[in-house]
Amino acid sequence: MDKIHPAPVHNYLLRRDAPLKMSTCLSELGVFGAYVRRGEDMVMNECVGHLLRTKSSEHSDGGVAAGVAVLDNPLLI
């Protein structure tokens, strides 16, 4: 598996007890699927959700729970 290198974008990161500031950010989109079989019969094979995490490009590791990334919403136009 190859590492994906997303293009950095400018975005605002909103965190509790921190001032709002413009940062150079990277986003990661995770898509969740459900696959269920009963014997030879496929019961379900569907996309069931997504999660978009955004973090400052200055951080290489860490996620939402560590306080480095924030949960985000994609802009669909």
Side-chain angles (χ1 to χ4, degrees):
M1 185 181 304
D2 294 333
K3 183 172 182 171
I4 298 172
H5 299 281
V9 297
H10 294 298
N11 203 348
Y12 289 97
L13 299 178
L14 177 62
R15 292 188 177 101
R16 183 177 47 174
D17 300 327
L20 186 64
K21 68 173 190 169
M22 174 77 75
S23 300
T24 302
C25 300
L26 302 172
S27 293
E28 302 170 350
L29 176 64
V31 179
F32 301 98
Y35 181 76
V36 179
R37 292 184 68 102
R38 182 176 293 133
E40 294 294 317
D41 298 327
M42 181 177 58
V43 177
M44 179 178 15
N45 185 12
E46 298 178 14
C47 177
V48 294
H50 67 274
L51 176 71
L52 185 64
R53 295 185 316 157
T54 300
K55 63 183 175 181
S56 175
S57 62
E58 63 192 39
H59 298 287
S60 60
D61 292 327
V64 175
V68 175
V70 296
L71 295 178
D72 206 345
N73 286 312
L75 175 62
L76 304 175
I77 44 178

